[in-house]
Amino acid sequence: MYLKSSLSPFLCFFFLLLSSAAAFNITQILGEHSEFSALNRYITDTQLAGEINDRQSITILAVDNGGLSLLSGKPKDVIKKIISLHVLLDYLDLQKLQKIPNNTQILPTLFQASGQSIGQFGFLNVTHLSSGGVAFGSAVNGSQLGANVVKSVVSQPLNLSVLQISSPIVPPGITNSTASPPKPPPPPPPPPPPPSYSPAPAPAPEPSPSNKSAPAPTPLKVPPPPANASSPPNDTSPPAKSPSPAKPPSESPPPKASPPSPTKRPFLGPVADEAPADSPKASLEGEKDSRAPAMAGIQVAVFVMLVSSLWSFTSYI
């Protein structure tokens, strides 16, 4: 008893798998209803029967032979679009149609699943009417809900449902509703040429502030010593660059020009002509003459200091 009760759920699940795995044949099912012979012929001619049979849950919106008379003479690809638009990709029976959320819903079709539709051409609009009926129409803007549900023809729960509608659904412009094949991608651009490795010219060095040409400094001119100033009396050596008295032209020849020095020296005033080495008498006379004004200057300075000291002393007393 316990074994039977434990096996019953497994048996139910097994039979459910068998029922769902059992493929239906839509042409055989429609062949049992002569009023849908035209629909059955269009499904076979457009090779939609195999796509429908491969689906697990599907709903066929069937139109009788009189309603499909308007498809006579149309191209085969247009007929295939219209027929695949009447195949919904879900199971819908009369009970489920009465429970549509918000009384309206957009449903995908086999035409949408084919990948050939554009925009809303692959969708249907189902609406629960205020009168209690249910109507279908294209989801394309401007389309009308003109296909009313008439009755349920075949119902295999969760797998197949065939609902009869009053008229076929043909959205305006469906003949031009096929998506154009994607354009091939443009060829890739040619690879850029390899970069050249020639060395770039080095930028010219900017002159540093130290290298910029600056005006040459003006040599400091040393003013000649005053006539009444001379070196201290205890300095027996003659000044290095003190002017000496001019010699008569007959006594000494003009001095020879010395070679130019490699380094520039600032200008320090006129350079005195050096006396020839063979005239010591003339140099002694020049030295005595240069010391005479120096001694006179020292005497004047001592006198001025004495007078100023005496004046300061008398002012203090």
Side-chain angles (χ1 to χ4, degrees):
M1 186 69 181
Y2 175 76
L3 182 62
K4 292 182 179 180
S5 60
S6 61
L7 288 178
S8 58
F10 292 101
L11 292 176
C12 293
F13 181 72
F14 178 73
F15 287 116
L16 181 61
L17 288 177
L18 289 178
S19 61
S20 60
F24 53 84
N25 192 324
I26 188 63
T27 56
Q28 291 182 0
I29 294 173
L30 293 178
E32 298 174 1
H33 304 275
S34 60
E35 67 269 28
F36 302 118
S37 60
L39 175 62
N40 196 11
R41 186 177 69 254
Y42 284 137
I43 290 177
T44 303
D45 293 343
T46 57
Q47 299 179 354
L48 290 175
E51 298 182 28
I52 295 173
N53 294 334
D54 291 340
R55 297 282 175 174
Q56 295 296 327
S57 297
I58 205 164
T59 299
I60 306 295
L61 302 179
V63 182
D64 59 12
N65 298 333
L68 290 181
S69 60
L70 59 88
L71 298 182
S72 178
K74 291 186 178 297
K76 186 176 181 179
D77 59 337
V78 176
I79 295 175
K80 184 175 182 179
K81 293 177 184 179
I82 296 175
I83 297 300
S84 61
L85 191 64
H86 290 71
V87 181
L88 302 177
L89 302 181
D90 194 7
Y91 174 82
L92 293 175
D93 54 13
L94 296 179
Q95 289 76 15
K96 292 187 68 174
L97 289 177
Q98 296 297 329
K99 300 176 182 179
I100 297 174
N102 299 324
N103 294 329
T104 185
Q105 190 175 359
I106 302 298
L107 303 174
T109 65
L110 190 62
F111 183 34
Q112 175 66 24
S114 66
Q116 298 180 357
S117 66
I118 58 175
Q120 296 293 317
F121 281 95
F123 295 90
L124 291 183
N125 181 7
V126 56
T127 300
H128 191 270
L129 303 177
S130 58
S131 60
V134 178
F136 286 90
S138 173
V140 178
N141 292 333
S143 300
Q144 298 179 355
L145 299 174
N148 298 323
V149 176
V150 178
K151 64 179 181 178
S152 176
V153 180
V154 177
S155 178
Q156 296 180 6
L158 303 178
N159 290 330
L160 174 65
S161 175
V162 178
L163 301 175
Q164 183 181 358
I165 56 177
S166 59
S167 60
I169 302 171
V170 182
I174 192 172
T175 56
N176 301 324
S177 61
T178 303
S180 58
K183 296 181 179 180
S196 59
Y197 294 98
S198 58
E206 296 183 359
S208 59
S210 59
N211 295 334
K212 292 183 179 179
S213 60
T218 305
L220 179 63
K221 294 183 179 182
V222 179
N228 56 353
S230 61
S231 59
N234 54 357
D235 189 5
T236 58
S237 62
K241 296 181 180 180
S242 60
S244 61
K247 302 295 187 299
S250 59
E251 293 182 0
S252 61
K256 296 181 180 180
S258 59
S261 175
T263 58
K264 295 182 179 181
R265 296 180 181 179
F267 181 75
L268 299 178
V271 179
D273 298 333
E274 295 181 359
D278 56 347
S279 59
K281 184 178 179 179
S283 61
L284 291 176
E285 289 178 358
E287 183 178 353
K288 289 178 182 181
D289 294 340
S290 62
R291 288 182 181 182
M295 294 299 293
I298 292 173
Q299 291 175 3
V300 173
V302 172
F303 177 77
V304 172
M305 291 175 62
L306 291 175
V307 172
S308 60
S309 300
L310 182 60
W311 177 261
S312 299
F313 181 76
T314 56
S315 300
Y316 179 77
I317 295 174

